[in-house]
Amino acid sequence: MSDIAKSEGVQQLWSGTWTSLLLVSNPIIQHFVYEQMRSWSLQEKLRQIQRQGREIQSSSLSPAQAFVFGAVAKAVATFLTYPLQLAQVLLRLQTRRIQISVTEESNQTTEQLDTIERSYTGTIDCLRRQFASGGISALFTGMDAKLLQTVLTSAFTFLTYEQVLVLVGRIYDTVK
């Protein structure tokens, strides 16, 4: 840390902090969307039961609902935060490329090294340039692979979560 502070300045120690803080919103959005769909579904289930005059048997989602709601919630969260994730990756890749080119070509003069500059000055610059190079679609380059990975994981996570809730509810009812 002291090397970075000396060579690049103390402010570089906090480089990327705002982007990382914004990306914390991804799981928040995911859980919010999931809970909204869950709440809506359970309220609808309760209304149907009340109309039919039946007794409430379960206040949980079906496994299929949990799976679909988990997948949709993650897809929404990923869609909303993906441009920031892309910018973060691009900024990291360019920093690594600069470090590699400097170490591989250490026989360059100081003037030559100064010409190897970062192509992006920060997150906003990266997003602006991505947009300028290809419009909205450029901000979502590679999102299909990200969705495939994260949506399935999330769907199974929420499926498991709902099943654990059912199990805990049954155990609680037996102990009562």
Side-chain angles (χ1 to χ4, degrees):
M1 284 177 48
S2 64
D3 288 344
I4 293 171
K6 286 176 189 173
S7 65
E8 299 180 38
V10 175
Q11 73 276 9
Q12 281 304 110
L13 294 173
W14 303 104
S15 177
T17 301
W18 288 111
T19 303
S20 295
L21 288 174
L22 286 172
L23 287 175
V24 168
S25 66
N26 183 289
I28 295 167
I29 294 167
Q30 175 187 352
H31 284 275
F32 175 80
V33 170
Y34 179 81
E35 287 299 327
Q36 291 301 308
M37 289 189 294
R38 183 180 194 277
S39 175
W40 171 81
S41 177
L42 293 177
Q43 286 174 359
E44 195 58 37
K45 185 178 181 180
L46 181 62
R47 279 190 214 107
Q48 286 178 358
I49 289 171
Q50 288 173 341
R51 272 188 244 132
Q52 295 171 358
R54 292 185 295 147
E55 213 177 287
I56 297 173
Q57 308 231 337
S58 170
S59 62
S60 63
L61 298 176
S62 72
Q65 286 176 312
F67 187 87
V68 170
F69 291 175
V72 168
K74 188 59 173 183
V76 168
T78 300
F79 179 78
L80 292 175
T81 60
Y82 188 77
L84 279 176
Q85 293 176 25
L86 178 63
Q88 195 175 51
V89 167
L90 291 173
L91 287 166
R92 284 186 185 143
L93 284 175
Q94 83 174 5
T95 303
R96 186 161 185 227
R97 261 189 252 127
I98 290 167
Q99 289 171 350
I100 290 170
S101 64
V102 169
T103 55
E104 286 177 354
E105 301 175 24
S106 57
N107 60 353
Q108 291 180 331
T109 66
T110 307
E111 298 84 37
Q112 289 170 326
L113 289 177
D114 288 340
T115 62
I116 301 172
E117 57 184 282
R118 294 181 178 195
S119 55
Y120 304 116
T121 58
T123 304
I124 300 296
D125 182 50
C126 181
L127 290 171
R128 185 183 55 76
R129 288 187 189 192
Q130 279 295 109
F131 181 77
S133 73
I136 293 287
S137 63
L139 295 175
F140 294 93
T141 301
M143 189 172 81
D144 49 352
K146 181 74 172 172
L147 281 174
L148 184 61
Q149 172 211 357
T150 59
V151 167
L152 281 175
T153 302
S154 179
F156 282 114
T157 299
F158 281 104
L159 169 65
T160 305
Y161 169 74
E162 288 295 329
Q163 294 303 299
V164 168
L165 282 180
V166 169
L167 181 63
V168 168
R170 286 183 187 152
I171 292 170
Y172 178 75
D173 288 343
T174 0
V175 172
K176 248 183 7 177

